[in-house]
């Protein structure tokens, strides 16, 4: 079956799904839900997967885009979580999404505030992380080991660092996504290619073990999707559909800087947070030239908003930490955009920064499987566990999960050094996007962050984008800088009308 998602397919499948009883209904199309839809469809099960908004509308698009090896979990003694992360990182890098996930270098600059003891401790951590890589059988070719580099090399990789008193840097490597929202789109399309009905703008109003009452958010129509099993993958919103789930959301804020703000930054940075032990802010250069700076971890009470906002105190905190290692400190005006996301952590005791990132399955009395917690890196394992449980609860006829060996749409093994921008975003589909660019001049014209009209049209035809927000805020990330978003609106409207 075709992997293309678009308005016509949505209408057709929305009509079909009313007359069916599917094997698995997945609610929520973030990384976890899209992963569950793929897991179930690839076992030969019939699947409907719905989201109240769009693919990657929730937390999955607000991440740091890191595919973690799990080092921080190791530091807290959570060996199982750390190992699971390292294994999943290897799966993405080596097999399922080598076009979307690559190795990224990070420097921990040895500025005067970092003591020799702290540096030695950090290096021990990086070596342990490299041990995890080896244990997970990810080859060094995909993820190099750590080393200490002298100050001149550190400055060659990260020119904005303050050179006064710089003793060098610790260089380490971890996985990094081209874009988290693109991972979700690739998962949903791969599931669709295997027959899953992927339906955005469909809100579950109520779940039972036998399906859901659903509202089409475009028309207001209500209907029922009947299912043999139901997986609730609504992340930080899961408690709204399952009374026994207790989530303690934790806000993570990032700053968005333009490429010109930190020229000469080609590696990420781990910046020690003053006064904290073994906690770092992250400086994350992106393939589109922008730089993200994160990340806070603040518990949030009260109703869960659709789109969380970054408060000014988070912005000031992150700027302060970043400036502690820069030669020329940045000002508030240098911050071109901000974003915040809510981690769907399971409620427990203690600070949210210390709550386990392990995922959990919760089964309601009538058999709804809720899968929460975890992180982007381990979405595949979360999905596998949820579908395993649904299969056994529903007595479904299905074999074991196949997703550890199933390449996502576009997967290609292009050498990282040889990858151009389009290959890093579209993998083996890059040539088809190029062919679209050749049709008319405006389709080849790069807009903000280099995105062309052809990419917007591609998103409408194949990636399920239904409106301007889908195009600018999720299929591309132009919208992270409000000024750029404004500038790209005419192209987005033209793509929808094309
Ligand atoms: C700031 C931040 C940085 C992070 N960085 C990283 C990182 O670098 N690496 C990493 O591995 N992890 C990271 N994480 C963790 C990771 O992003 C999350 O664990 C993960 O994205 C959660 O995905 P999910 O699919 O479970 O939830 P979500 O992505 O939130 O998906 C839930 C979906 O459910 C939908 N929904 C809600 N209610 C309904 C309803 N009633 N009916 C239908 N649909 C509904 C929503 O629209 C949403 O699309 C980060 C988290 C945060 C907050």
């Amino acid at each position: 079956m075709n992997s293309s998602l678009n308005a016509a397919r949505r209408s057709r499948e929305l009509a079909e799904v009313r007359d069916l009883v599917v094997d698995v209904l997945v609610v929520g199309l973030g990384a976890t839900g899209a992963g569950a839809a793929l897991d179930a469809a690839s076992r030969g099960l019939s699947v409907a997967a719905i989201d109240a908004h769009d693919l990657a509308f929730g937390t999955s698009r607000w991440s740091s885009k890191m595919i973690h090896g799990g080092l921080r979990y190791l530091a807290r003694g959570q060996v199982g979580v750390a190992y699971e992360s390292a294994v999943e990182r290897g799966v993405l890098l080596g097999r399922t999404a080598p076009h979307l996930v690559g190795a990224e270098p990070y420097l921990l600059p040895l500025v005067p505030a970092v003591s020799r003891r702290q540096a030695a401790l950090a290096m021990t951590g990086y070596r342990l992380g490299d041990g995890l890589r080896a244990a997970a059988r990810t080859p060094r070719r995909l993820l190099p080991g750590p080393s200490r580099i002298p100050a001149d090399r550190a400055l060659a990789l990260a020119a904005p660092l303050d050179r006064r008193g710089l003793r060098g840097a610790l260089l380490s490597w971890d996985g990094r996504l081209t874009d988290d929202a693109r991972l979700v789109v690739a998962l949903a399309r791969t599931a669709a290619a295997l027959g899953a009905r992927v339906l955005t703008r469909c809100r579950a109003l109520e779940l039972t073990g036998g399906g859901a009452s659903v509202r089409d958010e475009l028309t207001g129509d209500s209907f029922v999707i009947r299912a043999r099993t139901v997986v609730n993958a609504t992340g930080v919103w899961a408690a709204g559909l399952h009374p026994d789930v207790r989530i303690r959301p934790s806000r993570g804020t990032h700053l968005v800087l333009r490429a010109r703000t930190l020229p000469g930054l080609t590696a990420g940075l781990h910046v020690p947070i003053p006064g904290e032990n073994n906690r770092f802010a992250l400086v994350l250069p992106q393939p589109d030239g922008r730089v993200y700076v994160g990340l806070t971890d603040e518990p949030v009470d009260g109703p869960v908003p659709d789109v969380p906002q970054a408060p000014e105190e988070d912005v000031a905190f992150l700027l302060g930490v970043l400036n502690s290692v820069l030669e020329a400190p940045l000002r508030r005006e240098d911050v071109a955009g901000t974003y915040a996301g809510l981690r769907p952590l399971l409620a427990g005791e203690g600070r949210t920064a210390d709550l386990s990132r392990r995922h959990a399955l919760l089964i309601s009395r009538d058999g709804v499987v809720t899968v929460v917690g975890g992180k982007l890196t381990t979405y595949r394992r979360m999905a596998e566990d949820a579908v395993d449980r649904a299969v056994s609860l529903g007595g479904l006829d299905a074999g074991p999960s196949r997703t550890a060996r199933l390449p996502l749409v576009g997967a290609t093994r292009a050498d990282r050094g040889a990858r151009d921008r389009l290959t890093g975003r579209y993998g083996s589909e890059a040539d088809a996007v190029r062919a679209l660019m050749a049709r008319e001049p405006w389709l080849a014209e790069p807009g903000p962050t280099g995105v062309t009209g052809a990419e917007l049209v591609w998103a409408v035809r194949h990636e399920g984008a239904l409106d301007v927000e889908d195009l600018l805020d999720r299929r591309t990330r132009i919208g992270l800088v409000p000024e750029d978003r404004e500038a790209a609106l005419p192209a987005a409207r033209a793509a929808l009308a094309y």
Side-chain angles (χ1 to χ4, degrees), residues 28 30-32 51-52 58-60 62-64 66 68 204 295 341 375-377:
T32 310
D51 197 284
T59 305
S60 295
W62 303 127
S63 82
S64 304
M66 293 181 66
H68 293 288
L295 159 84
K375 53 195 174 295
L376 208 63
T377 305

Side-chain angles (χ1 to χ4, degrees), residues 475-488:
R475 300 309 176 279
T476 71
R477 309 313 295 275
I478 295 170
L480 285 174
V481 172
E483 250 176 28
D484 291 350
R485 190 177 200 287
E486 200 57 36

Side-chain angles (χ1 to χ4, degrees), residues 457-494:
V457 171
W458 180 267
V460 174
R461 292 186 178 174
H462 304 290
E463 297 178 345
L466 298 181
D467 61 21
V468 161
E469 281 77 30
D470 293 358
L471 284 173
L472 299 182
D473 299 331
R474 290 170 288 275
R475 300 309 176 279
T476 71
R477 309 313 295 275
I478 295 170
L480 285 174
V481 172
E483 250 176 28
D484 291 350
R485 190 177 200 287
E486 200 57 36
L489 276 172
R493 290 193 189 111

Side-chain angles (χ1 to χ4, degrees), residues 242-299:
H242 188 318
D244 305 335
V245 177
R246 283 177 58 232
I247 304 276
R248 184 145 186 242
S250 150
R251 185 185 62 240
T253 296
H254 287 83
L255 314 180
V256 182
L257 310 176
R258 293 184 185 282
R260 62 170 185 261
T261 308
L262 290 177
L265 184 72
T266 56
L269 300 178
H270 291 167
V271 184
I273 297 181
E276 294 252 9
N277 223 350
N278 199 26
R279 282 179 56 76
F280 301 90
L282 304 169
V283 179
L284 306 154
Q286 300 300 302
D288 64 9
R290 290 173 176 167
V291 177
Y292 303 156
V293 182
L295 159 84
T296 56
D297 198 329
E298 291 295 326

Side-chain angles (χ1 to χ4, degrees), residues 145-341:
S147 57
R148 182 174 169 148
I149 59 172
D152 57 344
R153 239 194 103 203
L155 288 164
L157 289 167
L161 285 177
D162 191 350
R163 57 196 66 218
R164 285 167 300 179
L166 188 69
R167 312 195 296 282
L170 305 182
L171 169 66
S172 63
W173 294 76
D174 211 343
R176 212 255 350 256
L177 274 163
T178 305
D179 182 352
D180 44 16
R182 290 204 72 74
L183 173 69
V184 177
V185 171
L187 288 166
R189 287 185 55 204
T190 312
L194 293 164
R197 293 177 170 86
V198 174
L199 303 167
T200 59
R201 309 303 198 284
C202 286
R203 178 181 295 276
L205 303 172
E206 203 181 328
L207 297 185
T208 68
S213 56
V214 176
R215 185 172 65 219
D216 178 344
E217 298 287 60
L218 293 182
T219 60
D221 263 9
S222 288
F223 58 100
V224 170
I225 298 182
R226 287 176 297 150
R228 295 185 182 88
T229 61
V230 176
V231 173
N232 173 17
T234 51
V236 81
W237 295 276
L241 292 169
H242 188 318
D244 305 335
V245 177
R246 283 177 58 232
I247 304 276
R248 184 145 186 242
S250 150
R251 185 185 62 240
T253 296
H254 287 83
L255 314 180
V256 182
L257 310 176
R258 293 184 185 282
R260 62 170 185 261
T261 308
L262 290 177
L265 184 72
T266 56
L269 300 178
H270 291 167
V271 184
I273 297 181
E276 294 252 9
N277 223 350
N278 199 26
R279 282 179 56 76
F280 301 90
L282 304 169
V283 179
L284 306 154
Q286 300 300 302
D288 64 9
R290 290 173 176 167
V291 177
Y292 303 156
V293 182
L295 159 84
T296 56
D297 198 329
E298 291 295 326
V300 181
D301 296 317
V304 178
D306 281 352
V307 178
Q309 300 299 313
E312 274 307 309
E313 62 261 30
D314 285 13
V315 177
F317 167 78
L318 289 170
L319 258 184
V321 178
L322 173 64
N323 283 339
S324 73
V325 296
L326 297 185
E327 179 125 320
L330 301 186
R331 292 156 308 161
R332 179 63 181 88
E333 310 85 271
D334 297 316
V335 178
T338 60
Y339 68 87

